[in-house]
């Protein structure tokens, strides 16, 4: 197993743990303000999928003997880093309202600043890019294809549920 790739996977795993810390803190804040959690049925599958990505990447590299191809690996690493930047731009823009779960505080306006000025669901773009690029940094194409397909199915459910939940936020949009 290439040490550099394993370090990358561990760094992304540490980032995920940091997300969970922020999400738990934000969930307490949201619930104290009347926040409503929805979409709980798909959330465990999302956790399994994201955990599976971090396990499958090094596993495929080790078991299939995937080698690092610089022409693919370096651009994919750049995409992984860009996805992290977009993800944390979303977190910073939403502030205490950001969460890994779908939580809506009734009456608060929708956020339309930051990356939300350009995309309705920019965090999901970050997830999709990272989920395809992270395995491809070291040639784990089976993991990239599997994650992308499963994530697309999961995101169809998640976005539909999130859109339904956001209709409860009836206040006018904030800049």
């Amino acid at each position: 197993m290439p040490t550099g790739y394993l370090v990358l996977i561990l760094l992304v795993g540490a980032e995920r743990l940091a997300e969970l810390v922020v999400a738990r803190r934000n969930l307490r804040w949201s619930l104290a303000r009347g926040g409503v959690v929805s979409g709980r049925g798909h959330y465990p599958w999302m956790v399994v999928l994201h955990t599976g990505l971090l396990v499958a990447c090094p596993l495929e590299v080790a078991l299939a003997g995937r080698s690092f191809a610089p022409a693919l690996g370096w651009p994919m690493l750049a995409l992984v880093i860009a996805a992290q930047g977009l993800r944390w731009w979303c977190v910073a823009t939403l502030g205490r309202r950001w969460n890994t779960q779908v939580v809506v505080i009734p009456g608060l306006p929708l956020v339309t600043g930051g990356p939300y000025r350009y995309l309705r669901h920019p965090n999901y773009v970050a997830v999709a890019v990272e989920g395809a690029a992270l395995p491809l940094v070291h040639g784990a194409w089976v993991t990239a294809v599997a994650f992308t397909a499963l994530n697309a199915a999961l995101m169809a459910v998640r976005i539909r549920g999130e859109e339904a939940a956001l209709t409860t936020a009836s206040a006018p949009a904030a800049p």
Side-chain angles (χ1 to χ4, degrees), residues 36-96:
V36 178
V37 180
S38 60
R40 292 178 193 245
H42 76 272
Y43 188 73
W45 294 106
M46 192 170 80
V47 172
V48 167
L49 181 61
H50 285 256
T51 303
L53 174 67
L54 297 178
V55 171
C57 283
L59 196 60
E60 180 180 347
V61 168
L63 294 178
R66 305 282 190 236
S67 60
F68 180 77
L72 177 64
W74 292 120
M76 292 301 108
L77 179 59
L79 286 175
V80 169
I81 293 167
Q84 298 305 322
L86 177 56
R87 173 179 286 116
W88 285 98
W89 188 17
C90 293
V91 173
T93 299
L94 291 175
R96 290 186 166 177

Side-chain angles (χ1 to χ4, degrees), residues 10 24 38 44-45 53 73 79 86 94 119-120 137 139 141 154 165:
L10 291 172
R24 284 190 185 141
S38 60
W45 294 106
L53 174 67
L79 286 175
L86 177 56
L94 291 175
L119 297 167
R120 178 80 171 166
V137 167
W141 63 269
L154 184 60

Side-chain angles (χ1 to χ4, degrees), residues 140-155:
W141 63 269
V142 173
T143 300
V145 169
F147 179 87
T148 299
L150 293 170
N151 186 58
L154 184 60
M155 284 298 101

Side-chain angles (χ1 to χ4, degrees), residues 144-172:
V145 169
F147 179 87
T148 299
L150 293 170
N151 186 58
L154 184 60
M155 284 298 101
V157 171
R158 171 122 173 156
I159 290 171
R160 192 170 39 252
E162 187 170 315
E163 287 296 325
L166 287 172
T167 61
T168 64
S170 58

